[in-house]
Structure formats: C-alpha cells, structure tokens
Amino acid sequence: MELIFVNILDGLVTGLLLFMLCSGLTLIFSMMGVLNFAHASFYMLGAYFAYEISTYVGFWPGLVFAPILVGIAGALVERYGLRRVHQYGHVPELIFTFGLALLIEEIIQFFWGKNLMAYDEPKILDFTAFTIAGNAFPAYKVFMIFVAMAIFLILLFILTRTRVGLIIQAALSYPNTVQNLGHNVPLVFMGVFGVGTALAGVAGVIAGPVLGTFPGMAVVLGSIVFVTIVIGGLGSLWGALIASLLIGWLQTFAASYNIVIGDVLVSIGFTRPENLDDSALRDLWTLTVSQIGPILPFLLMVLVLAIRPQGLFGKRET
Amino acid sequence: MKKVTGMILGTVMTGLLGLSATAVSAADNIKIAFIDPLSGPFATTGANGLAEWKFAVEKLVNEKGGVLGGTKLEVIGFDNKISPKESLIQLQVAIDQGIRFIAQGNSSGVANALTGAIKKHNKRNPDKKVIFLNYSAVDPALTNDKCNFWHFRFDANADIKMDALTDVIAKDSSIDKIYIIGQDYSFGKAVAAAAVRNIGDKMPNVKIVGNELHPIGKVKDFTPYARKIIASGANAVITGNWGSDMLSLGKAVIKAGYKGPIYTYYAASSGITKAFGADGKGVIRIVSEGTLNPPVSDRVSDYVNAFKAKYPDNNVSQLRIANTAEMLAKAIDKAGSTDAIKVAYALEGMEIDSIWGGKVKMRASDHQAIQNVYVLAHTDDNMTHALDNSPYGLLTENTVVDAGMDSPTSCKMKRP
C-alpha cells in the first residue's frame, strides 16, 4: 500500500519532467506546424550547458543561465534556419530539424566527449526529504515537482491572462489574420520557438543530475515527447500536462509490478499450455508488464488516435 | 631553371627516401591489429583500450629490447564500429597487410564472429595463419562450445567472475536476500543465470528476492526498479549493467535509500567512477581480474604514472591488456618466430608473473587465462591510483587466488 503512494509520487516527478519538454514542443508544433525532432536535443544541450556552468559557479547560476543560452540558440535556429527552410514546405523543415538533432549530438560529443558527465544535484538539496516504508524520497525530487508546477502556472497565466498570450493563441489558429491585423507573426514564432526550447533546457538542467548527462540522453526521451503531445492534443497546455502525468504514472506502475502476462491470461479464462517450450506463444506467456513498459505509451497513442484523433484536449484533428 | 628543378627533384627524392626508410622500419615491426570500436557510441571504450594496448607494448616489450633479439611490437587500430560484419572486413584488411596477431575485446558478439572467421581462414590459408587475442569478451561460450585452437582469452570469463563474486558473497553472513537485475540481452541473461546457479550451489539459505531484466538503453528513470529492490528487502544487488544503464540504476537505487552492496562487472572509469563520486562509496563493488589499489609493487605505480603522463584523459582500466602484451612477447620469443602455430603452442599452458600480482596461466584445455580475481570497492580512502581524474577509484576488498582454476569446460580442442 505504501509502495503505491511512493509510485504515485515517482510517477508525478517523471510526468512533470515530461511536461516541461512537451509544453514547449506542443506550442511549437501547433503554431508552426513544425515537428521539431531536435526538441529533445535542446533538452540535452540544457543539461550540458548547466553542467559546464556548475563546474565554475555551482548549480544555481546554471539553472538560470543554461536555459537562457538554450533559448537564444533556439531562437537563432528559428530565425536563420527554420524560417529560411519554411518556404519550401513541411518536409524540408522536418529534415532540417532531424539533421539538427544529429548535429547537436555530434557537437556535444566533440566538446564533452562520449563519457558520462559527473553532473550532480546541489549539496543543499542532497538529503532525504521523507521516507515511506524504507523508501527514501530525495529533497531534489520535491524541488523538481515545485519547479515544474511553477512553470505550468506561469505558462498558463501568460497564455490566458496576458496580451502576448492572446496574440499567441490567435496566431495558433489564424496566423494570416493576425498578421493582417499588424502583428509581427514571424517574431511571435521566433519567441515561441525560443521559449519552447528554453523550457526544454530547464528540463535538461534539472533532469541531468537524476537521469544522467550523456550523449544518448536525447534519444532516450526523443520519441516519447511526440507521443505525449499527440495524446494530449496539439497546442493544448492542459492536454500536455494530463498526458505527461498519465504517461509518467503508466511507466512507473508498469515498471514497479512484476505481473506476468501468463497469470493475467489464466485469470481471464485461458489455460496455460502444458509444455511452454512447445507453445508458439511461449514469449507471451512469460512476458512481464515491466518488460513491455516502454511500449505502453505508444499503445496508448494508437488508442487515442483511433478513438479521438484530435487528442484528449485538442481542438483540431492531428 | 635546371638548378631549381634539380633542387625540387632532390627534395622529392630525399622525401621519398625518408618515407621508404620509415616504411622499412615499420615493416620490420611485428604488428598487432586492434579491431575494436574507434567511432560511434562505444568509441570511448575502444579508444581507451587502444591507448592501453599501445602503452603496454611500448613499456613492457619494446623498452625492454623487443622480441626475437630486437624486433619491436606495434599496435595498429582498426575501427570495427562494434559491428560483427565490419569486424570481418577489418580482419581481412589486417590479414592483407600481413598482420598475424588480432586483438579484440569489446562485445562478445564481435568475438564470436571473429573466432569463427579466423578458424576458417586458418584452415583455408595455411601459409597466412593468424592468432586471435581476445582481451575482453567474456561470453563463456568462447572457451566452451565455440572454442578453437587460435582463440586465447586473457580476461576471466563471466562464469569465472560470478564464481569468484559468489565466493565472496557467501562469506558475508549479513547477506540473506539478493536481488538480480540486468539488461535484457545475452550478457545480462548469462550473468543472471550464473548468479542463480552459484547462489543455489553455495548459499542454500540465501533467498533470491528478485530476478529481472529491463530493456537495454531504453529506461529513462530507474526509480521504479529501485523501489522494487527496496520493497523486496534485498541486502545485496547483483547486476551486469554497463554504461548509462549502470550509472542510472546505481544512482536511483542509492537515492531511494538502499544501503547494501551493489555487485557489478562494469561500474568504473569512462566517467562512471567520477559520476558516482561520494554516493557510490560503500555501495558499489566490482569484480575484476586485476587491481591498482593498493598497488602490489612499485612496478604497478611506475606503469600507471607513466601511462597517465602520456594519456592524461584515459584510465588504466583493462589490466589484462598488460598481461596479454607480456604473454604474447614471451610466446614469440619462446617460439623463436612469429609463425602462428608455433606461437599458439608456446602460449598454451604458459605461465607468467603478472605485473598486477599473482600468476596468469593460459589453460591449455580451453585457452582460458586463469588468474586472480578481485572484488574491489568504489571509494576515495587509501587511493594511490584513482580513476577519471577524480578522487575516487577502486580498492581491493577480497582476492580469489587462481579463480576458476578447476572450472569445467566443454571445449574439445582440435590441434593442428
């Protein structure tokens, strides 16, 4: 029972981390129609920048400056890369971001090498916040929860309560009309891309010490962020939040319980084959839920696309 | 004008002469082809291994007068991108260049491909026979069902290491619940199987409270696994994980409040030691075929210090490479030639005093090196030779002398 509570908290941390990545991506995707393959690479860039800064002046300046640097890099990419490619249509944009992802990975390996980086959480947060039935819950994870919540609230406020948010929301649906009204839509695009990548940078800064800072960290998260925004519905901040939490909990609970598929099959009325080695479905009978954990979000995405193609909170079809 | 042409011609000629001179000296060297990843995700391990090889050959053989009364050994790197297919191409390139000694270690998949190809090659080209010096691939099959006369393994294989590890665990009466976790592929499964077998044989009272495989390289966050380990009440964890899977698992388990030992194969160097830092102290244990701390002799310290002076960003982490270089040199001298058959016979049953302490003996029945196996602790206490340019390194905790000396083998060696 206590374990369920611990898993809920762990899932919350995973989900909120995912949300920080997805919130930027979903805005970029819905506004510009660009499937930014390099989004997770900006997350990685955030972690490496913060690591480099932390070796000189500690963790906290890294938390502030690394996302700013990543945001500037993102804005420059939009201004001098994507905007030029944009006129040739979506396929060149797709290829451009795909190439960018590879480029960033190579650049990181060029400067920092292929080793794992010794990027650690700050000493001040390196203690156990509380313990549930022998399971320690690090203070750093509490900090992660608060940062992610703060980001969500700020974003929600900006998007729904400010003039900038109004223009962004309008540009999401009717970019040409907004432009005709005299707003500088390309600048809005650049700003959204910059802020979106900066948010990915924040995620990298605070995830780096927990999930490891290494050249493969973008690839591990790369596909799951797309799954999340599709499930949540494009352009919807609430959708991104709910989908992220859903996936966080799904993966945490799947990995936490060693439920064997065979037992599930027996309980719903199937009979176990006498000799498993002769059975064509041997692998299915011996599979555990934790082994199929990584594919569950993809299954969920297929389900959502089949039943509600616009996503849980989306307003238009994907 | 003529003068100028003459000058140019002269320069070119001297250049050519110079070139051919170096080419001649290089041709005199006995070459070893190092076929391992020098690009791609595993390039760090490969590049570190190549540095260790070059240094071992220089320091332990060439500086002492080489082999056969003055001939030098030379290691040449071939990039196999850790692909078995690419490795076979590089093997052919190396053989075509007249190289007769092949060294490889990263990935048992590659080793399996190479040992088969070399066996066939030696059968078909009796005048161009080559020897396979496997310095690192630990799949037990290579010295059992798939053994052949041309393959020599200088690392202790996965079974021998697990045998030694469980010997040490069995002596610790505080351990009664063990959790086994690994990556879902051949090596992870081999480690799990060996652990279950050995624990069952040696510690009937110890309960295996968990035995599971996780997707390799796909797990973002190991926290749920860590919770399971805590919930199971385990007081020891055994894992064959490597790379980021090792670091993430270890960190998640430690952060979740686990205090017992985590017994591992590959949880050091390549940045992992530095990244574990203070968190890993008292938790991470590594089974290894050699030890740097405490250094058994001044020779060890001289060797490591000289290596660090030459390659400051690398580690002396694969200690068997030094043994391999020394044994190869001794075998060539003993054979009196570089003829593969003679050298292979010289290597069989050869025994040397390892620079790392103890003896290394190449068992003739299956070409598996028998040597001391150590269980090392990740710590910063009493560190003479730390890793990753950090204060942390590995310190000897237990030694199993001549580990796996009597281990059975299913190898039926066919000798030419």
Side-chain angles (χ1 to χ4, degrees):
Chain A
M1 189 58 219
E2 289 94 347
L3 201 59
I4 292 181
F5 189 63
V6 174
N7 284 330
I8 289 176
L9 281 176
D10 286 339
L12 185 69
V13 173
T14 313
L16 287 175
L17 186 70
L18 206 53
F19 166 73
M20 276 189 270
L21 272 168
C22 298
S23 52
L25 186 64
T26 197
L27 286 179
I28 292 169
F29 191 7
S30 56
M31 175 174 279
M32 311 166 69
V34 179
L35 237 166
N36 183 12
F37 272 109
H39 200 69
S41 307
F42 285 104
Y43 152 84
M44 174 155 75
L45 220 46
Y48 272 90
F49 283 168
Y51 163 72
E52 198 58 42
I53 295 172
S54 74
T55 55
Y56 296 106
V57 284
F59 177 85
W60 302 105
L63 182 62
V64 177
F65 291 112
I68 294 176
L69 287 176
V70 174
I72 292 172
L76 289 177
V77 162
E78 200 282 334
R79 176 66 186 82
Y80 296 103
L82 268 179
R83 202 177 292 180
R84 280 170 194 229
V85 185
H86 186 68
Q87 53 188 311
Y88 303 110
H90 283 325
V91 174
E93 281 179 340
L94 207 75
I95 296 169
F96 175 80
T97 60
F98 195 74
L100 187 65
L102 297 177
L103 186 70
I104 291 178
E105 190 174 329
E106 289 302 322
I107 288 174
I108 278 180
Q109 294 188 11
F110 180 79
F111 283 107
W112 285 280
K114 291 172 169 106
N115 280 349
L116 294 146
M117 293 295 122
Y119 179 32
D120 271 324
E121 53 262 84
K123 281 275 167 292
I124 194 168
L125 287 175
D126 194 9
F127 64 95
T128 303
F130 52 89
T131 306
I132 303 167
N135 277 293
F137 200 79
Y140 189 72
K141 292 205 165 173
V142 179
F143 165 74
M144 284 169 81
I145 293 176
F146 279 111
V147 171
M149 286 309 232
I151 285 177
F152 172 71
L153 292 176
I154 292 170
L155 275 183
L156 200 65
F157 178 78
I158 291 176
L159 281 179
T160 57
R161 296 275 182 273
T162 63
R163 233 183 113 70
V164 178
L166 210 65
I167 298 169
I168 291 175
Q169 290 216 344
L172 278 177
S173 328
Y174 306 104
N176 291 332
T177 316
V178 174
Q179 186 140 25
N180 288 341
L181 286 170
H183 294 289
N184 188 351
V185 171
L187 185 72
V188 174
F189 278 8
M190 191 174 98
V192 168
F193 200 91
V195 172
T197 48
L199 283 176
V202 177
V205 176
I206 65 177
V210 182
L211 303 185
T213 307
F214 57 102
M217 65 189 288
V219 180
V220 178
L221 274 173
S223 54
I224 201 84
V225 290
F226 291 108
V227 173
T228 314
I229 62 165
V230 170
I231 292 175
L234 299 177
S236 164
L237 204 58
W238 278 103
L241 179 71
I242 302 296
S244 304
L245 291 179
L246 212 59
I247 287 178
W249 279 318
L250 197 63
Q251 293 201 318
T252 305
F253 278 97
S256 298
Y257 295 94
N258 286 337
I259 300 166
V260 182
I261 303 291
D263 296 343
V264 178
L265 288 177
V266 169
S267 70
I268 56 171
F270 287 92
T271 43
R272 180 181 285 273
E274 286 290 307
N275 187 353
L276 271 182
D277 288 336
D278 291 342
S279 169
L281 294 174
R282 186 183 68 160
D283 286 343
L284 183 67
W285 281 91
T286 53
L287 210 59
T288 65
V289 172
S290 56
Q291 275 175 298
I292 58 168
I295 63 161
L296 287 179
F298 296 91
L299 265 176
L300 186 66
M301 179 177 76
V302 172
L303 261 179
V304 166
L305 282 179
I307 297 166
R308 203 182 142 82
Q310 65 269 50
L312 295 177
F313 288 79
K315 292 194 180 68
R316 50 176 197 195
E317 302 217 339
T318 42
Chain B
M1 189 64 204
K2 243 183 186 168
K3 225 175 184 177
V4 176
T5 327
M7 265 172 70
I8 292 173
L9 250 178
T11 332
V12 171
M13 287 303 287
T14 7
L16 276 178
L17 273 174
L19 262 181
S20 60
T22 49
V24 165
S25 80
D28 281 350
N29 288 348
I30 297 168
K31 288 177 193 153
I32 301 164
F34 172 93
I35 305 182
D36 261 318
L38 298 172
S39 68
F42 298 98
T44 334
T45 323
N48 198 74
L50 182 58
E52 286 187 70
W53 260 103
K54 289 195 160 168
F55 185 77
V57 161
E58 201 53 45
K59 180 94 179 164
L60 299 173
V61 183
N62 293 351
E63 277 182 17
K64 292 180 181 160
V67 291
L68 302 176
T71 315
K72 300 224 180 317
L73 293 185
E74 184 184 351
V75 181
I76 299 172
F78 290 84
D79 182 12
N80 71 358
K81 305 180 177 73
I82 207 148
S83 133
K85 203 176 92 206
E86 190 72 25
S87 304
L88 298 185
I89 297 169
Q90 296 301 335
L91 171 68
Q92 200 52 54
V93 172
I95 292 173
D96 288 347
Q97 289 182 8
I99 300 177
R100 298 293 173 257
F101 299 102
I102 310 295
Q104 183 271 340
N106 295 318
S107 168
S108 292
V110 172
N112 272 315
L114 277 180
T115 193
I118 286 172
K119 187 176 159 191
K120 268 188 216 141
H121 166 87
N122 285 354
K123 205 173 195 176
R124 290 172 190 161
N125 305 281
D127 53 331
K128 290 183 191 166
K129 288 194 175 74
V130 300
I131 288 182
F132 180 17
L133 309 163
N134 166 10
Y135 70 89
S136 211
V138 294
D139 182 353
L142 289 164
T143 45
N144 283 289
D145 297 348
K146 290 181 183 160
C147 78
N148 70 64
F149 181 71
W150 312 104
H151 167 268
F152 293 87
R153 166 155 46 207
F154 295 85
D155 197 358
N157 71 39
D159 282 353
I160 292 177
K161 282 188 177 173
M162 184 53 76
D163 188 20
L165 192 56
T166 43
D167 279 348
V168 170
I169 297 176
K171 278 186 224 150
D172 188 341
S173 56
S174 68
I175 293 172
D176 60 352
K177 287 178 189 154
I178 297 179
Y179 203 103
I180 305 164
I181 181 166
Q183 295 155 320
D184 198 354
Y185 83 117
S186 62
F187 174 66
K189 287 178 183 171
V191 170
V196 170
R197 198 171 57 237
N198 278 293
I199 292 169
D201 290 349
K202 294 173 195 167
M203 298 165 255
N205 298 326
V206 169
K207 229 172 108 190
I208 297 174
V209 289
N211 182 3
E212 74 172 317
L213 301 168
H214 64 78
I216 175 170
K218 289 237 173 1
V219 179
K220 297 191 293 291
D221 187 359
F222 277 94
T223 310
Y225 294 94
R227 302 294 186 210
K228 266 194 286 191
I229 292 172
I230 304 272
S232 71
N235 41 29
V237 174
I238 296 178
T239 178
N241 278 17
W242 46 265
S244 63
D245 277 349
M246 178 64 242
L247 182 67
S248 309
L249 173 72
K251 275 201 146 185
V253 171
I254 294 165
K255 290 283 174 207
Y258 175 81
K259 298 273 184 278
I262 303 176
Y263 293 101
T264 68
Y265 282 63
Y266 304 110
S269 73
S270 301
I272 297 183
T273 298
K274 194 176 176 191
F276 266 125
D279 289 339
K281 192 176 172 182
V283 177
I284 303 294
R285 302 282 191 288
I286 294 175
V287 58
S288 170
E289 79 295 346
T291 180
L292 295 181
N293 297 295
V296 292
S297 64
D298 290 344
R299 229 184 127 204
V300 169
S301 291
D302 288 348
Y303 186 86
V304 177
N305 291 337
F307 179 88
K308 287 301 280 185
K310 196 166 178 192
Y311 303 98
D313 292 332
N314 289 324
N315 290 311
V316 180
S317 55
Q318 306 181 55
L319 306 186
R320 58 237 173 220
I321 289 174
N323 294 335
T324 314
E326 282 199 308
M327 287 177 89
L328 176 66
K330 199 176 166 193
I332 293 174
D333 273 340
K334 191 175 159 196
S337 85
T338 55
D339 180 55
I341 293 190
K342 288 181 187 157
V343 175
Y345 271 115
L347 268 175
E348 269 197 341
M350 172 179 284
E351 192 173 300
I352 63 158
D353 291 316
S354 168
I355 175 172
W356 315 112
K359 289 191 185 302
V360 183
K361 187 180 179 189
M362 185 52 71
R363 191 158 71 172
S365 59
D366 57 353
H367 292 187
Q368 167 67 53
I370 300 299
Q371 56 201 316
N372 294 356
V373 169
Y374 304 84
V375 175
L376 313 170
H378 169 99
T379 176
D380 59 347
D381 296 331
N382 306 318
M383 263 309 117
T384 319
H385 300 295
L387 295 169
D388 290 340
N389 299 328
S390 75
Y392 290 86
L394 301 170
L395 185 71
T396 308
E397 262 196 352
N398 292 89
T399 307
V400 178
V401 176
D402 295 338
M405 194 170 51
D406 310 316
S407 57
T409 174
S410 59
C411 175
K412 294 183 187 69
M413 190 72 72
K414 280 191 199 127
R415 291 182 175 76

